[in-house]
Amino acid sequence: MSNDVLVLAEHRDGAVSDVTFELLGKAREIAASWGGRTVALLLGQRELAAELGAADTVQCAEHAALETYNPEAYEAVVLQALEQLEPRLVLTSTTTVGLDLGAALSVRWDAPLVSYVTGLSAGDGTALATAQIYGGKLLAEVELSGPRALCAVLAGSFPHAAGRGETAPTVETLDATGLLDDLRTVVTSVVSPEGGDVDITAADLLVSVGRGIGSQANLEVVEELAEALGAPLAASRPLIDQGWLPKARQVGKSGLSVKPKVYLMFGISGAPEHLEGMRDAELVIACNTDAKAPIFDVADYGTTVDLFDLVPELVSRVAG
Amino acid sequence: MRIAVLLKQIPDLVEDLELAPDGTDVDREFLAFTLNEFDDQALEEALCLKDAGDAEVVAVALEEPDVDQCLYTALAKGADRAVKLTGAGEGWIDGHRRSAILAAWLATAEFDLILTGVQAADDLDGQLPPLLAARLGLPHASVVVRVELKGQVALVRQELGGGTVADEELRLPAVIGIQAARQAPRYASISRIRQAQQAGGLEEVGAPATDAGPGYHLVRLLAPEAAGHAQMLGGSAGEVAERIVELIRAKGL
């Protein structure tokens, strides 16, 4: 066992993901208080190691099967790295990579896992994690006092500035020979988002609608407002899954991240997955009839007036 | 082709969650329970696979509040069998223990494909699909939005975030965590569900014993303190609309 904190670096489209810098910043803080090192684990794309200067060392593994994310290949290599390096704490994100690997590693590396972590501090030989549960309606405080642990951290929980290092880290090579010869999982293609009819990421003003709209027929109401405002209409995941609006309109973790000057939202409760896609909006105005909806903890302005009463009033003022 | 779909009842989040006296669980006594929405998506994807070819769909759940209704609904929607694993105990069954129970039972039955929801709202110690796959030694993928079968291979589409998707081939048997089915979950009418109940056919099996647990110390659950709160706009719809238009204009839009 060491006192090291290991961060599983993530990258997409040839760039290190923002959440990785958040994790590195937190890892440095915890490692410093334990007297350990910060280690980044980078699979594929070794050239990105230079960006991970907040880590003391970057462990790189390269192999054809690691060029893009392959759950089985990643898991095999990360597991071997954990067995060799024996970090005290491992940080992943709650992206697809984190969701796939975290729980599987918890079983295979025999370490407790806390998922959807939003707060993390080092105690004397322990770590205390705070995690979201029940869609953010409750928090759980979990003490990790064993010799090893995993935390899957919700993006946006920690500042990323502390994880952007100036100096070049020491880069070491992990040998993945023999681990990846007989994979049962093959990635056949990776497809980046296709351009939709509108680009919701480029808009200064965005009207966004969620489950509270009730039915596809009701969408007309907000479509009319979006048109009157000259703003694209975006939506939360449930509406996209219903097929009511195209995928290119989806804001959130699995959709697009937007940062408009004004984000005007109707009938969206504010699940963590949605918040991930809009937390950089400048001004957030939320309409939801549930006064306890978590979105009101995030929005700048809110109202519990029914959207079906409010939207026609907005339309008449904007169009008039 | 035999497909297991794992279903789980969770507290209905529409309701307020009160804490139990010891502070480490929600007070389950007066809570309404509902099927984990992602499990509903997994069931739909399994039924679509059955519709598209020759597959047997087996719905599997631990004995939990209102789970009979959930399993009969699965039968009414088209599942071929429904299995309830009984005696795992009351209260919150964490993911490590749940996956150990399910893995022990699944290992005794021959399944080609195991589908379940990508996550559930009470996944404090990790998500079921990878927990289960690790215990069974099977390949797995989560955040999946499409599954097709080609012989003993599952073709899956996995969302990687930001709109990027990967198409992957997994050699069966495999465990897939479904984010969304290819279509909205089908509806079963009350009369169909009642028919299924009258026909019976819920298979009850004792849950395999396990001492698995998450391995951490849950100190307490607590309600989050909001870091901030929206400034609430009150008044009539007209007055609120007026304020919103002002706010938008103040941003120069």
Side-chain angles (χ1 to χ4, degrees), chain A residues 12-13 69-72 75 95-108 111-116 128 130-145 182-194 204-205 211 229 237-238 241-242 247 250 252-257 261-262 264 266 273 282-283 285-286 288 290-293 295-306 309-310 313-314 317-318 320, chain B residues 10-19 25-26 28 37-38 41 92 96 99 118-119 121-128 130-143 145 157-173 179-185 214-245 247-249 251-253:
Chain A
R12 200 168 64 214
D13 301 329
Y69 174 62
N70 174 324
E72 187 181 0
E75 188 175 309
T95 59
T96 295
V97 175
L99 285 187
D100 261 347
L101 301 186
L105 292 167
S106 172
V107 169
R108 297 185 66 188
L113 163 69
V114 189
S115 197
Y116 282 94
L128 190 67
T130 305
Q132 283 190 350
I133 186 167
Y134 293 115
K137 281 196 154 190
L138 293 176
L139 296 174
E141 284 180 1
V142 178
E143 192 180 41
L144 297 159
S145 52
D182 185 29
L183 294 176
R184 291 169 288 176
T185 307
V186 178
V187 179
T188 52
S189 69
V190 177
V191 185
S192 291
E194 5 178 312
D204 281 337
L205 172 61
R211 232 192 272 252
L229 286 166
R237 170 130 219 167
D241 284 346
Q242 291 280 347
K247 187 85 183 163
Q250 185 187 329
K253 176 176 172 176
S254 52
L256 297 166
S257 290
K261 287 184 180 159
V262 179
L264 181 56
F266 298 97
E273 290 79 6
E282 282 179 32
L283 181 75
I285 306 171
N288 196 305
D290 176 6
K292 289 183 176 167
I295 192 60
F296 291 129
D297 297 334
V298 176
D300 300 291
Y301 292 89
T303 178
T304 54
V305 171
D306 194 307
D309 297 326
L310 179 60
E313 294 285 347
L314 281 166
R317 276 164 181 75
V318 175
Chain B
I10 60 165
D12 192 341
L13 295 187
V14 171
E15 306 206 7
D16 284 338
L17 298 175
E18 304 284 337
L19 294 179
D25 193 5
V26 294
R28 289 166 186 265
E37 61 176 313
F38 300 107
Q41 300 284 341
W92 189 7
H96 280 67
S99 61
V118 60
Q119 58 179 319
D122 62 352
D123 282 344
L124 182 59
D125 64 332
Q127 290 68 37
L128 183 60
L131 284 169
L132 192 63
R135 294 197 190 285
L136 292 167
L138 297 179
H140 61 98
S142 283
V143 203
V145 292
R157 172 158 286 193
Q158 181 176 44
E159 291 193 346
L160 298 180
T164 301
V165 296
D167 287 330
E168 292 156 23
E169 297 182 359
L170 276 72
R171 210 185 304 156
L172 299 181
Q179 169 79 40
R182 67 189 79 176
Q183 62 185 37
Y216 54 54
H217 171 54
L218 173 58
V219 180
R220 60 170 181 157
L221 300 182
L222 66 160
E225 267 178 50
H229 195 275
Q231 186 179 334
M232 297 306 283
L233 307 174
S236 68
E239 286 160 0
V240 172
E242 197 68 47
R243 282 286 288 133
I244 291 177
V245 171
L247 288 166
I248 295 172
R249 297 226 163 106
K251 277 292 200 179
L253 300 169

Side-chain angles (χ1 to χ4, degrees), chain A residues 66 80 150 179 192 212 224 227 254 284 291:
Chain A
L66 299 173
Q80 179 186 268
L150 297 141
L179 281 179
S192 291
E224 194 187 351
E227 199 170 306
S254 52
V284 177

Side-chain angles (χ1 to χ4, degrees), chain B residues 45-175:
Chain B
E45 192 65 16
L47 294 172
C48 287
L49 289 170
K50 180 185 170 181
D51 293 343
D54 184 24
E56 180 192 16
V57 173
V58 183
V60 184
L62 302 194
E63 186 173 35
E64 282 175 304
D66 301 328
V67 78
D68 287 10
Q69 170 83 5
C70 159
L71 287 169
Y72 281 122
T73 303
L75 288 170
K77 286 181 173 186
D80 298 284
R81 290 170 54 201
V83 176
K84 178 167 77 172
L85 301 178
T86 61
E90 292 179 358
W92 189 7
I93 300 176
D94 61 71
H96 280 67
R97 185 151 167 263
R98 179 178 299 273
S99 61
I101 294 168
L102 287 164
W105 184 77
L106 288 162
T108 67
E110 285 186 7
F111 286 100
D112 302 289
L113 182 63
I114 298 165
L115 301 184
T116 191
V118 60
Q119 58 179 319
D122 62 352
D123 282 344
L124 182 59
D125 64 332
Q127 290 68 37
L128 183 60
L131 284 169
L132 192 63
R135 294 197 190 285
L136 292 167
L138 297 179
H140 61 98
S142 283
V143 203
V144 165
V145 292
R146 187 188 299 164
V147 182
E148 287 172 45
L149 296 171
K150 196 176 76 182
Q152 282 299 302
V153 172
L155 312 179
V156 307
R157 172 158 286 193
Q158 181 176 44
E159 291 193 346
L160 298 180
T164 301
V165 296
D167 287 330
E168 292 156 23
E169 297 182 359
L170 276 72
R171 210 185 304 156
L172 299 181
V175 182

